Amino acid sequence: MSAETLEFKAELKQLLHLITHSLYSDREIFLRELISNASDAINKVKFDSLDHDETLEGNKDWKIKITPNAEAKTLTISDNGIGMGRDQVIDLLGTVAKSGTKAFVDAVKAKNDPNSPGLIGQFGVGFYSAFMVADTVTVQTRPAGTPADGIRWVSDGQGQYTIEQADKPARGTDVVLHLKDDAQDFLNPYKLRSLVKKFSDFIEHPVVMDTDEEEGERDEKKTTVVEETLNNRKAIWLRQPREVKDDEYAEFYKVLSNDDAPPAKSLHFTIEGKSEFKALLFIPSKKPFSFDWDEPKAGLRLYVQRVLIMERCEELLPLYLRFVKGVVDSADLPLNVSREILQQNPHLDTIRKNVVRNVLQGLEALKNTQPEKYRAFYDDLGPILKEGLSRDWENKDKIADLLLFASVNTEAGKVKTLAEYVEAMPEGQVEIYYLAGDNAAQLRNSPYLEAYRAKGFDVLLLTDPIDEFAVPAVREYKGKKLQAADKGELKGDEGIADDAKAKFAPLFASLKSVLPDVGDIRLTKRLTTSAACLVADAGAMTAHMERLMQRFGEDATGGKRVLELNPDNAAVEALRTLHETSPTDPRIAAYALLLYDQAAIAEGSKVPDAAGFAKRINDLILADAGK
Ligand code: ADP
């Protein structure tokens, strides 16, 4: 039979243009598409042979072979799968977007067979990606079972193809790509190896390539050709969790993360229902050496039936979980899905929600069952997790459950959860109090804590820089409001007696001109022993926040602070008496400044005028010791 020339059915020219120019952003994926087709073809023949084994003719050594031929400038992808007969070739390769795989899946579905093979390509354009790198494609194929002749199909992808009988000794398909001049690098074995590793590492059938192996000493070197398997094949996420060993998880985690330490926890689950997918996620035990804080990118590897679709699919993981590594394998997405198409895919949203829920549950379980492991994770990566408090409103409470804090009542180095804090709240305490600063030891000495201590209220000590931003976002935990200990008026200060206020009013009026940096002066019950402290107004920035912002290069001034004085402190009372008896005494201004200075020191700020401060202290020493 001589070669017949036939027209492509669809308006292929335009479609090919679309495929090669817009469907795929990266042309190297042609290899992934052809290997996937070959793998599908093998699955099909395996499935068919369940009923009649004789169709296999003893050929069960399933494999996909890639053969670069530098002389002929061809790259061949061969399989011993189901092959195609003449009509099928015309039907399947002559029509773009008519996917034989889809027809097959429909047929299998109709049979409702539990053994139905998983098939990758369901879109019907994968094969044509070959024309991104080849100016001519030759397909030689022979169908399984029938002792039919082989068929040769040749096309330049421009609207026509030829078809003829051809010698094809064994079942299966060879796709021969006559590579374009600018695609010759796809003949390079190193390149081919790395592409198979990248996209098709977990294809279940071996992808092989012949390589020369040298043996023997110098003069007697012998070159033998060996068949090298290029893919790992072990897609452990597709196995049953109980069948996967811990070291297999650890090994796979290492491949994904480059982290030397084993993961703190592996999360391996299947979601069935509207969107079906399998996921294998890892929570690192600490910040991996390679972790880049400055590159705020999250992502999971997205596979569609073992084939890598995207190295880092950002749609699958919110940023605040960017320490999580893992893969998601979905059966519901098309293989050649692009980023734009993906963003509109409703499955993705479901997958992401499930991923987030599972990660948060996994962290909760780790916290409850292996607190030390969780603590190591949290100390390193907690700051990132906390970003979720203000970003993931839906899961805010679950993230709040995962927080750990030092507090006034914890021993040095120990921490507690918000739940433990609330549990231990004494009667009469209605809010959760916190104080932010650089370190717990310094915070423990803060005068702001005096009144809370006196009442027996615990105060959380926040020392992670992000706490100042993140913790207020919690707002409420188990119905209890979170409240900064150094902000606003302390509950109960309303109760300062009017006559005390009246007694101090003249002193405060005259101090306002001495202390222009202070927004207001008032009496407080916040302090029990100290004389003075500075507080931010309810809506304003605390001193710690102000220092943080300045450290980040922000021009931050949180507005004037309120100087609070303790009426029960003897020095404060002495100052008042001095003002009452001799209101113009110059010492009043000096002592007021000293009160202000000590309040600034107490909140961790610098004394605004160090030289003036030294002089005032020295004057006091002189006045006292020089008597
Ligand atoms: P898809 O794989 O998305 O269905 P393709 O354009 O890649 O679409 O392929 C069209 C059809 O051609 C496939 O569905 C399959 O039936 C057939 N086909 C492609 N490659 C092979 C192959 N190596 N062996 C057998 N059939 C193949």
Side-chain angles (χ1 to χ4, degrees):
M1 190 182 96
S2 63
E4 260 181 276
T5 303
L6 299 170
E7 294 281 327
F8 281 118
K9 273 194 196 155
E11 290 171 34
L12 190 63
K13 222 168 175 169
Q14 284 158 26
L15 274 172
L16 274 174
H17 188 84
L18 178 85
I19 292 159
T20 48
H21 290 88
S22 53
L23 208 51
Y24 298 111
S25 40
D26 218 341
R27 67 179 188 164
E28 65 191 20
I29 56 84
F30 78 91
L31 190 61
R32 172 188 92 179
E33 299 294 324
L34 296 181
I35 290 175
S36 300
N37 279 353
S39 171
D40 278 355
I42 292 174
N43 284 342
K44 282 183 199 169
V45 79
K46 273 175 82 176
F47 182 71
D48 263 8
S49 68
L50 290 177
D51 288 341
H52 12 225
D53 195 32
E54 71 282 0
T55 53
L56 299 181
E57 299 163 278
N59 180 351
K60 288 193 197 180
D61 183 16
W62 311 115
K63 72 172 81 152
I64 299 156
K65 184 160 187 165
I66 55 181
T67 314
N69 183 333
E71 265 165 53
K73 298 184 181 172
T74 58
L75 177 67
T76 303
I77 293 95
S78 315
D79 65 68
N80 53 359
I82 196 159
M84 286 172 275
R86 187 174 184 277
D87 293 348
Q88 283 169 307
V89 171
I90 293 173
D91 199 28
L92 298 170
L93 301 187
T95 319
V96 180
K98 169 165 187 205
S99 172
T101 299
K102 179 128 183 16
F104 182 80
V105 167
D106 291 344
V108 171
K109 270 197 189 139
K111 263 175 90 180
N112 208 3
D113 194 316
N115 291 322
S116 112
L119 298 170
I120 306 162
Q122 307 207 351
F123 208 64
V125 287
F127 170 77
Y128 294 93
S129 64
F131 290 104
M132 294 195 288
V133 294
D135 37 35
T136 306
V137 177
T138 304
V139 177
Q140 315 221 71
T141 182
R142 209 188 93 184
T146 45
D149 293 316
I151 298 291
R152 180 184 299 125
W153 177 99
V154 185
S155 177
D156 61 0
Q158 299 291 315
Q160 288 184 333
Y161 59 91
T162 61
I163 191 163
E164 64 186 318
Q165 270 180 17
D167 264 358
K168 173 80 175 80
R171 175 196 74 228
T173 304
D174 304 332
V175 177
V176 187
L177 311 176
H178 305 265
L179 294 172
K180 290 179 180 174
D181 285 344
D182 64 359
Q184 299 292 315
D185 51 334
F186 294 112
L187 293 169
N188 181 338
Y190 292 104
K191 173 118 189 172
L192 293 169
R193 253 184 223 115
S194 79
L195 287 180
V196 172
K197 263 254 154 295
K198 181 170 174 193
F199 293 115
S200 312
D201 204 24
F202 301 106
I203 289 278
E204 61 181 308
H205 308 296
V207 178
V208 302
M209 181 167 69
D210 282 344
T211 43
D212 294 341
E213 211 173 63
E214 290 188 347
E215 267 177 44
E217 292 300 306
R218 292 187 166 197
D219 300 337
E220 294 161 36
K221 256 189 199 164
K222 267 204 326 219
T223 313
T224 46
V225 177
V226 291
E227 203 169 68
E228 179 190 353
T229 300
L230 307 182
N231 56 337
N232 169 306
R233 300 177 57 197
K234 284 189 267 175
I236 59 171
W237 63 86
L238 297 182
R239 284 159 52 192
Q240 291 295 331
R242 63 187 133 78
E243 288 166 7
V244 185
K245 296 196 192 77
D246 280 352
D247 51 346
E248 287 180 288
Y249 282 133
E251 194 189 323
F252 185 58
Y253 169 67
K254 204 171 163 179
V255 172
L256 288 180
S257 66
N258 285 326
D259 183 3
D260 281 334
K265 198 167 177 62
S266 315
L267 306 166
H268 189 176
F269 54 96
T270 303
I271 302 296
E272 275 160 16
K274 228 168 54 200
S275 312
E276 199 173 305
F277 71 95
K278 292 191 159 56
L280 175 54
L281 312 176
F282 297 102
I283 295 167
S285 52
K286 55 182 178 40
K287 182 169 72 69
F289 190 63
S290 56
F291 194 84
D292 190 351
W293 293 87
D294 296 331
E295 193 192 21
K297 276 190 181 166
L300 297 174
R301 279 198 194 177
L302 176 64
Y303 287 80
V304 170
Q305 306 220 29
R306 294 166 168 259
V307 179
L308 182 70
I309 301 302
M310 225 172 270
E311 185 82 42
R312 174 141 74 177
C313 182
E314 292 172 32
E315 285 76 15
L316 292 178
L317 198 68
L319 260 188
Y320 74 92
L321 296 179
R322 61 185 176 275
F323 47 80
V324 174
K325 294 277 172 274
V327 307
V328 164
D329 197 324
S330 160
D332 301 324
L333 295 168
L335 188 58
N336 46 9
V337 67
S338 73
R339 193 163 287 278
E340 296 74 40
I341 297 172
L342 202 59
Q343 275 161 357
Q344 298 153 11
N345 195 301
H347 291 306
L348 224 61
D349 220 34
T350 317
I351 298 178
R352 179 189 166 105
K353 280 209 174 92
N354 273 294
V355 162
V356 172
R357 200 183 55 225
N358 274 277
V359 171
L360 294 179
Q361 275 170 2
L363 286 170
E364 181 69 28
L366 188 67
K367 187 192 79 184
N368 297 334
T369 56
Q370 293 173 288
E372 276 163 33
K373 249 190 184 176
Y374 180 73
R375 178 77 194 273
F377 155 83
Y378 186 86
D379 284 349
D380 261 16
L381 294 160
I384 293 176
L385 179 68
K386 287 176 198 170
E387 291 172 14
L389 290 169
S390 51
R391 291 192 176 155
D392 188 351
W393 198 242
E394 222 171 286
N395 290 299
K396 186 184 65 116
D397 291 347
K398 287 193 190 120
I399 303 168
D401 283 333
L402 295 168
L403 300 176
L404 301 177
F405 297 103
S407 85
V408 169
N409 291 348
T410 55
E411 287 167 43
K414 293 272 188 313
V415 286
K416 62 167 59 168
T417 60
L418 283 175
E420 285 162 345
Y421 178 98
V422 169
E423 179 75 9
M425 272 167 55
E427 214 173 304
Q429 181 181 353
V430 291
E431 295 180 325
I432 298 171
Y433 298 108
Y434 63 84
L435 185 63
D438 291 336
N439 63 68
Q442 193 186 3
L443 284 173
R444 280 176 206 280
N445 294 324
S446 167
Y448 300 112
L449 299 178
E450 289 171 9
Y452 299 93
R453 275 208 181 91
K455 289 185 174 156
F457 295 174
D458 196 6
V459 177
L460 301 172
L461 305 176
L462 278 45
T463 51
D464 175 3
I466 194 188
D467 284 341
E468 275 269 22
F469 306 94
V471 173
V474 179
R475 290 199 191 172
E476 244 188 58
Y477 183 81
K478 299 203 182 225
K480 310 276 186 284
K481 202 167 148 262
L482 273 82
Q483 174 63 43
D486 55 351
K487 240 181 176 182
E489 280 188 71
L490 181 68
K491 285 249 157 70
D493 271 10
E494 311 87 280
I496 288 193
D498 284 345
D499 59 335
K501 284 185 187 162
K503 243 170 46 177
F504 274 88
L507 170 68
F508 290 176
S510 75
L511 288 189
K512 281 201 176 132
S513 59
V514 182
L515 301 167
D517 290 346
V518 165
D520 195 10
I521 306 173
R522 66 184 176 220
L523 294 177
T524 188
K525 285 193 174 167
R526 201 185 297 273
L527 306 172
T528 54
T529 48
S530 298
C533 67
L534 287 164
V535 297
D537 250 340
M541 246 189 255
T542 62
H544 182 244
M545 173 85 102
E546 200 178 293
R547 285 197 302 278
L548 273 179
M549 301 281 280
Q550 283 162 356
R551 209 186 299 161
F552 294 137
E554 299 285 332
D555 174 27
T557 34
K560 290 184 174 179
R561 280 190 222 306
V562 177
L563 178 66
E564 291 191 341
L565 297 180
N566 174 6
D568 300 329
N569 180 283
V572 172
E573 177 56 19
L575 181 60
R576 192 197 62 78
T577 323
L578 178 62
H579 179 263
E580 203 172 56
T581 49
S582 49
T584 52
D585 191 313
R587 287 174 301 172
I588 293 172
Y591 295 163
L593 281 166
L594 276 173
L595 288 176
Y596 178 75
D597 289 336
Q598 59 174 274
I601 293 171
E603 70 168 15
S605 299
K606 285 203 178 102
V607 172
D609 169 18
F613 171 69
K615 182 173 182 305
R616 288 188 280 280
I617 293 279
N618 292 344
D619 285 350
L620 272 181
I621 296 173
L622 188 65
D624 185 52
K627 261 194 266 180

